[in-house]
Amino acid sequence: QAQLVESGGDSVQAGGSLTLSCAASGFPASTNCMGWFRQAPGKEREGVAAIYTGGGATYYATAVQGRFTISQDNAKNTVYLQMNSLKPEDTAMYYCAAGVDLIVSPLVDVEYNYWGQGTQVTVSS
């Protein structure tokens, strides 16, 4: 059974760094795209970063461009989100998502088929 397991969430002070991991297992076919999304209390879920697993092309939300980096380790079936210069507004539950179909808009959540349970990131000022 397909499964995504996130880890690495924590509480940090503003300006700090965290690396989130997403381990994928049990997929019946290769994933096409992997994404990180986040949802803060009272807000809608938003796309943060995405990577096409075949070619490695990456996409970022404007709010995190230059601070976050998405990467993959195909041998470990794991996707990472390196987050630097964290801000209080980055506080949210972060979710990993996998898409096995053609994905046109990699930062749009409805494009994805599978989701992890989330990992909490809290940034204090």
Short mmCIF file of all heavy atoms in Angstrom, two decimals, residues 25-72:
data_model
loop_
_atom_site.label_atom_id
_atom_site.label_comp_id
_atom_site.label_asym_id
_atom_site.label_seq_id
_atom_site.Cartn_x
_atom_site.Cartn_y
_atom_site.Cartn_z
N SER A 25 6.87 4.71 0.03
CA SER A 25 6.97 3.26 -0.09
C SER A 25 5.67 2.69 -0.62
O SER A 25 4.61 3.31 -0.48
CB SER A 25 7.29 2.63 1.27
OG SER A 25 6.25 2.86 2.19
N GLY A 26 5.75 1.54 -1.26
CA GLY A 26 4.57 0.81 -1.68
C GLY A 26 3.84 1.35 -2.89
O GLY A 26 2.71 0.94 -3.15
N PHE A 27 4.48 2.23 -3.64
CA PHE A 27 3.79 2.78 -4.80
C PHE A 27 3.78 1.75 -5.93
O PHE A 27 4.81 1.17 -6.24
CB PHE A 27 4.45 4.07 -5.27
CG PHE A 27 4.08 5.24 -4.42
CD1 PHE A 27 4.74 5.49 -3.23
CD2 PHE A 27 3.06 6.09 -4.80
CE1 PHE A 27 4.37 6.56 -2.42
CE2 PHE A 27 2.69 7.16 -4.01
CZ PHE A 27 3.35 7.39 -2.82
N PRO A 28 2.62 1.57 -6.59
CA PRO A 28 2.52 0.59 -7.67
C PRO A 28 3.26 1.02 -8.93
O PRO A 28 3.58 0.21 -9.78
CB PRO A 28 1.01 0.50 -7.92
CG PRO A 28 0.49 1.82 -7.48
CD PRO A 28 1.34 2.22 -6.32
N ALA A 29 3.52 2.28 -9.06
CA ALA A 29 4.23 2.81 -10.22
C ALA A 29 5.08 3.97 -9.79
O ALA A 29 4.91 4.50 -8.68
CB ALA A 29 3.24 3.23 -11.30
N SER A 30 5.98 4.37 -10.64
CA SER A 30 6.84 5.50 -10.30
C SER A 30 6.01 6.77 -10.15
O SER A 30 5.06 6.99 -10.89
CB SER A 30 7.89 5.71 -11.39
OG SER A 30 8.72 4.59 -11.50
N THR A 31 6.39 7.56 -9.17
CA THR A 31 5.72 8.85 -9.01
C THR A 31 6.21 9.81 -10.09
O THR A 31 7.36 9.70 -10.55
CB THR A 31 5.99 9.44 -7.63
OG1 THR A 31 7.40 9.59 -7.45
CG2 THR A 31 5.45 8.54 -6.54
N ASN A 32 5.37 10.73 -10.45
CA ASN A 32 5.72 11.71 -11.47
C ASN A 32 6.25 12.99 -10.84
O ASN A 32 7.18 13.60 -11.35
CB ASN A 32 4.49 12.02 -12.32
CG ASN A 32 4.79 12.99 -13.44
OD1 ASN A 32 5.89 13.01 -13.99
ND2 ASN A 32 3.82 13.82 -13.78
N CYS A 33 5.66 13.32 -9.71
CA CYS A 33 6.00 14.58 -9.06
C CYS A 33 5.79 14.43 -7.57
O CYS A 33 4.83 13.78 -7.13
CB CYS A 33 5.14 15.71 -9.62
SG CYS A 33 5.62 17.37 -9.12
N MET A 34 6.66 15.05 -6.80
CA MET A 34 6.52 15.07 -5.34
C MET A 34 6.43 16.53 -4.89
O MET A 34 7.17 17.38 -5.40
CB MET A 34 7.72 14.40 -4.67
CG MET A 34 7.90 12.96 -5.02
SD MET A 34 6.67 11.89 -4.27
CE MET A 34 7.15 12.00 -2.54
N GLY A 35 5.55 16.78 -3.96
CA GLY A 35 5.37 18.15 -3.51
C GLY A 35 5.31 18.28 -2.01
O GLY A 35 5.00 17.32 -1.30
N TRP A 36 5.63 19.47 -1.54
CA TRP A 36 5.44 19.83 -0.13
C TRP A 36 4.38 20.92 -0.07
O TRP A 36 4.45 21.90 -0.81
CB TRP A 36 6.73 20.34 0.48
CG TRP A 36 7.73 19.27 0.81
CD1 TRP A 36 8.80 18.89 0.05
CD2 TRP A 36 7.74 18.44 1.97
NE1 TRP A 36 9.48 17.87 0.69
CE2 TRP A 36 8.85 17.58 1.87
CE3 TRP A 36 6.93 18.35 3.10
CZ2 TRP A 36 9.16 16.64 2.84
CZ3 TRP A 36 7.24 17.41 4.07
CH2 TRP A 36 8.35 16.57 3.94
N PHE A 37 3.44 20.72 0.82
CA PHE A 37 2.38 21.68 1.05
C PHE A 37 2.34 22.02 2.53
O PHE A 37 2.89 21.29 3.36
CB PHE A 37 1.03 21.10 0.62
CG PHE A 37 0.92 20.90 -0.87
CD1 PHE A 37 1.54 19.83 -1.50
CD2 PHE A 37 0.20 21.80 -1.64
CE1 PHE A 37 1.45 19.67 -2.87
CE2 PHE A 37 0.10 21.65 -3.01
CZ PHE A 37 0.72 20.58 -3.63
N ARG A 38 1.70 23.11 2.87
CA ARG A 38 1.56 23.45 4.28
C ARG A 38 0.20 24.07 4.53
O ARG A 38 -0.42 24.64 3.63
CB ARG A 38 2.66 24.41 4.72
CG ARG A 38 2.60 25.79 4.09
CD ARG A 38 3.83 26.61 4.48
NE ARG A 38 3.80 27.96 3.93
CZ ARG A 38 4.81 28.83 4.02
NH1 ARG A 38 5.93 28.48 4.65
NH2 ARG A 38 4.69 30.04 3.51
N GLN A 39 -0.24 23.93 5.77
CA GLN A 39 -1.51 24.51 6.17
C GLN A 39 -1.38 25.06 7.57
O GLN A 39 -1.10 24.32 8.51
CB GLN A 39 -2.64 23.49 6.09
CG GLN A 39 -4.01 24.09 6.32
CD GLN A 39 -5.13 23.15 5.94
OE1 GLN A 39 -4.95 21.94 5.87
NE2 GLN A 39 -6.30 23.70 5.68
N ALA A 40 -1.60 26.35 7.68
CA ALA A 40 -1.59 27.02 8.98
C ALA A 40 -3.01 27.08 9.51
O ALA A 40 -3.97 27.02 8.73
CB ALA A 40 -1.01 28.42 8.83
N PRO A 41 -3.18 27.17 10.81
CA PRO A 41 -4.52 27.24 11.39
C PRO A 41 -5.34 28.37 10.78
O PRO A 41 -4.87 29.50 10.67
CB PRO A 41 -4.25 27.49 12.87
CG PRO A 41 -2.91 26.91 13.12
CD PRO A 41 -2.14 27.17 11.86
N GLY A 42 -6.54 28.02 10.34
CA GLY A 42 -7.43 29.02 9.78
C GLY A 42 -7.13 29.42 8.35
O GLY A 42 -7.79 30.31 7.81
N LYS A 43 -6.15 28.76 7.75
CA LYS A 43 -5.78 29.10 6.38
C LYS A 43 -5.92 27.88 5.49
O LYS A 43 -5.95 26.74 5.94
CB LYS A 43 -4.35 29.64 6.32
CG LYS A 43 -4.16 30.96 7.05
CD LYS A 43 -2.78 31.52 6.81
CE LYS A 43 -2.61 32.88 7.46
NZ LYS A 43 -1.25 33.45 7.21
N GLU A 44 -6.00 28.15 4.20
CA GLU A 44 -6.08 27.05 3.24
C GLU A 44 -4.70 26.43 3.02
O GLU A 44 -3.67 27.08 3.23
CB GLU A 44 -6.63 27.57 1.90
CG GLU A 44 -8.08 28.01 1.97
CD GLU A 44 -8.64 28.33 0.60
OE1 GLU A 44 -7.87 28.31 -0.37
OE2 GLU A 44 -9.84 28.61 0.52
N ARG A 45 -4.72 25.19 2.61
CA ARG A 45 -3.47 24.51 2.28
C ARG A 45 -2.85 25.18 1.05
O ARG A 45 -3.54 25.50 0.09
CB ARG A 45 -3.74 23.04 2.02
CG ARG A 45 -2.51 22.21 1.80
CD ARG A 45 -2.82 20.73 1.92
NE ARG A 45 -3.86 20.32 1.00
CZ ARG A 45 -4.45 19.11 1.04
NH1 ARG A 45 -4.08 18.24 1.97
NH2 ARG A 45 -5.38 18.80 0.17
N GLU A 46 -1.53 25.36 1.11
CA GLU A 46 -0.84 26.00 0.00
C GLU A 46 0.38 25.19 -0.41
O GLU A 46 1.02 24.54 0.40
CB GLU A 46 -0.40 27.42 0.38
CG GLU A 46 0.57 27.50 1.54
CD GLU A 46 1.05 28.91 1.83
OE1 GLU A 46 0.78 29.83 1.02
OE2 GLU A 46 1.71 29.10 2.86
N GLY A 47 0.67 25.26 -1.69
CA GLY A 47 1.85 24.59 -2.21
C GLY A 47 3.11 25.35 -1.83
O GLY A 47 3.13 26.58 -1.92
N VAL A 48 4.13 24.63 -1.42
CA VAL A 48 5.39 25.23 -1.00
C VAL A 48 6.49 24.97 -2.02
O VAL A 48 7.16 25.90 -2.48
CB VAL A 48 5.81 24.69 0.38
CG1 VAL A 48 7.19 25.23 0.76
CG2 VAL A 48 4.79 25.03 1.44
N ALA A 49 6.65 23.71 -2.38
CA ALA A 49 7.71 23.33 -3.32
C ALA A 49 7.33 22.00 -3.96
O ALA A 49 6.59 21.22 -3.37
CB ALA A 49 9.05 23.23 -2.62
N ALA A 50 7.86 21.77 -5.14
CA ALA A 50 7.59 20.52 -5.84
C ALA A 50 8.78 20.17 -6.71
O ALA A 50 9.54 21.06 -7.14
CB ALA A 50 6.33 20.63 -6.67
N ILE A 51 8.91 18.88 -6.97
CA ILE A 51 9.99 18.40 -7.83
C ILE A 51 9.48 17.30 -8.73
O ILE A 51 8.79 16.37 -8.27
CB ILE A 51 11.19 17.91 -6.97
CG1 ILE A 51 12.36 17.50 -7.86
CG2 ILE A 51 10.79 16.78 -6.04
CD1 ILE A 51 13.67 17.31 -7.09
N TYR A 52 9.75 17.41 -10.02
CA TYR A 52 9.43 16.34 -10.95
C TYR A 52 10.50 15.27 -10.78
O TYR A 52 11.68 15.53 -11.00
CB TYR A 52 9.38 16.85 -12.38
CG TYR A 52 8.09 17.56 -12.69
CD1 TYR A 52 8.00 18.95 -12.63
CD2 TYR A 52 6.95 16.85 -13.05
CE1 TYR A 52 6.82 19.60 -12.91
CE2 TYR A 52 5.76 17.49 -13.34
CZ TYR A 52 5.69 18.87 -13.26
OH TYR A 52 4.51 19.50 -13.53
N THR A 53 10.09 14.07 -10.43
CA THR A 53 11.05 13.05 -10.03
C THR A 53 11.88 12.54 -11.20
O THR A 53 12.97 12.03 -11.01
CB THR A 53 10.31 11.88 -9.36
OG1 THR A 53 9.30 11.40 -10.25
CG2 THR A 53 9.67 12.33 -8.07
N GLY A 54 11.37 12.67 -12.41
CA GLY A 54 12.12 12.20 -13.55
C GLY A 54 13.25 13.14 -13.94
O GLY A 54 14.41 12.77 -13.93
N GLY A 55 12.91 14.34 -14.26
CA GLY A 55 13.91 15.30 -14.73
C GLY A 55 14.52 16.17 -13.64
O GLY A 55 15.55 16.80 -13.86
N GLY A 56 13.90 16.23 -12.47
CA GLY A 56 14.44 17.01 -11.38
C GLY A 56 14.06 18.47 -11.37
O GLY A 56 14.56 19.25 -10.55
N ALA A 57 13.18 18.89 -12.27
CA ALA A 57 12.76 20.29 -12.28
C ALA A 57 12.04 20.62 -10.97
O ALA A 57 11.28 19.81 -10.45
CB ALA A 57 11.82 20.55 -13.45
N THR A 58 12.31 21.80 -10.45
CA THR A 58 11.74 22.21 -9.17
C THR A 58 10.91 23.47 -9.30
O THR A 58 11.15 24.30 -10.20
CB THR A 58 12.84 22.43 -8.12
OG1 THR A 58 13.75 23.43 -8.62
CG2 THR A 58 13.60 21.15 -7.84
N TYR A 59 9.97 23.62 -8.39
CA TYR A 59 9.08 24.77 -8.37
C TYR A 59 8.91 25.21 -6.92
O TYR A 59 8.86 24.38 -6.02
CB TYR A 59 7.72 24.41 -8.97
CG TYR A 59 7.83 24.00 -10.43
CD1 TYR A 59 8.19 22.71 -10.79
CD2 TYR A 59 7.60 24.94 -11.44
CE1 TYR A 59 8.32 22.35 -12.11
CE2 TYR A 59 7.72 24.58 -12.77
CZ TYR A 59 8.08 23.28 -13.09
OH TYR A 59 8.21 22.93 -14.40
N TYR A 60 8.79 26.52 -6.72
CA TYR A 60 8.66 27.06 -5.38
C TYR A 60 7.59 28.14 -5.33
O TYR A 60 7.42 28.90 -6.28
CB TYR A 60 9.99 27.67 -4.91
CG TYR A 60 11.10 26.68 -4.80
CD1 TYR A 60 11.98 26.47 -5.85
CD2 TYR A 60 11.27 25.93 -3.64
CE1 TYR A 60 13.01 25.54 -5.76
CE2 TYR A 60 12.30 25.00 -3.53
CZ TYR A 60 13.15 24.81 -4.60
OH TYR A 60 14.17 23.89 -4.50
N ALA A 61 6.94 28.22 -4.19
CA ALA A 61 6.04 29.33 -3.95
C ALA A 61 6.89 30.59 -3.75
O ALA A 61 8.01 30.53 -3.25
CB ALA A 61 5.20 29.06 -2.70
N THR A 62 6.32 31.71 -4.13
CA THR A 62 7.04 32.98 -4.03
C THR A 62 7.50 33.24 -2.59
O THR A 62 8.60 33.74 -2.36
CB THR A 62 6.15 34.14 -4.50
OG1 THR A 62 5.77 33.89 -5.85
CG2 THR A 62 6.87 35.46 -4.41
N ALA A 63 6.66 32.85 -1.63
CA ALA A 63 6.95 33.14 -0.23
C ALA A 63 8.19 32.42 0.30
O ALA A 63 8.77 32.84 1.31
CB ALA A 63 5.74 32.77 0.63
N VAL A 64 8.59 31.34 -0.37
CA VAL A 64 9.73 30.55 0.13
C VAL A 64 10.90 30.55 -0.83
O VAL A 64 11.96 29.99 -0.52
CB VAL A 64 9.31 29.10 0.44
CG1 VAL A 64 8.11 29.09 1.38
CG2 VAL A 64 9.01 28.33 -0.83
N GLN A 65 10.73 31.15 -2.00
CA GLN A 65 11.79 31.19 -3.00
C GLN A 65 13.06 31.77 -2.41
O GLN A 65 13.04 32.82 -1.78
CB GLN A 65 11.33 32.02 -4.20
CG GLN A 65 12.31 32.06 -5.35
CD GLN A 65 12.24 30.81 -6.21
OE1 GLN A 65 11.17 30.32 -6.50
NE2 GLN A 65 13.39 30.33 -6.62
N GLY A 66 14.15 31.05 -2.59
CA GLY A 66 15.43 31.53 -2.07
C GLY A 66 15.73 31.08 -0.65
O GLY A 66 16.87 31.20 -0.18
N ARG A 67 14.73 30.59 0.05
CA ARG A 67 14.93 30.12 1.44
C ARG A 67 14.78 28.61 1.56
O ARG A 67 15.44 27.98 2.39
CB ARG A 67 13.92 30.80 2.38
CG ARG A 67 14.04 32.32 2.42
CD ARG A 67 13.15 32.89 3.51
NE ARG A 67 11.74 32.63 3.30
CZ ARG A 67 10.96 32.00 4.16
NH1 ARG A 67 11.45 31.55 5.31
NH2 ARG A 67 9.67 31.81 3.90
N PHE A 68 13.89 28.03 0.77
CA PHE A 68 13.63 26.60 0.84
C PHE A 68 14.22 25.91 -0.40
O PHE A 68 14.23 26.49 -1.48
CB PHE A 68 12.12 26.32 0.87
CG PHE A 68 11.43 26.72 2.15
CD1 PHE A 68 12.07 27.49 3.12
CD2 PHE A 68 10.12 26.33 2.38
CE1 PHE A 68 11.42 27.86 4.28
CE2 PHE A 68 9.46 26.68 3.53
CZ PHE A 68 10.11 27.46 4.49
N THR A 69 14.64 24.66 -0.20
CA THR A 69 15.15 23.86 -1.31
C THR A 69 14.57 22.46 -1.23
O THR A 69 14.69 21.80 -0.19
CB THR A 69 16.68 23.78 -1.26
OG1 THR A 69 17.24 25.09 -1.31
CG2 THR A 69 17.19 22.98 -2.47
N ILE A 70 13.98 22.03 -2.32
CA ILE A 70 13.46 20.67 -2.39
C ILE A 70 14.46 19.81 -3.15
O ILE A 70 15.07 20.27 -4.13
CB ILE A 70 12.07 20.62 -3.07
CG1 ILE A 70 11.45 19.23 -2.96
CG2 ILE A 70 12.12 21.09 -4.50
CD1 ILE A 70 9.99 19.17 -3.38
N SER A 71 14.66 18.58 -2.68
CA SER A 71 15.59 17.67 -3.33
C SER A 71 15.10 16.25 -3.16
O SER A 71 14.18 15.99 -2.37
CB SER A 71 17.00 17.83 -2.76
OG SER A 71 17.02 17.50 -1.38
N GLN A 72 15.72 15.33 -3.89
CA GLN A 72 15.30 13.95 -3.81
C GLN A 72 16.50 13.02 -3.79
O GLN A 72 17.55 13.33 -4.34
CB GLN A 72 14.40 13.60 -4.99
CG GLN A 72 15.05 13.76 -6.36
CD GLN A 72 14.12 13.43 -7.50
OE1 GLN A 72 13.04 12.87 -7.32
NE2 GLN A 72 14.52 13.78 -8.72
#
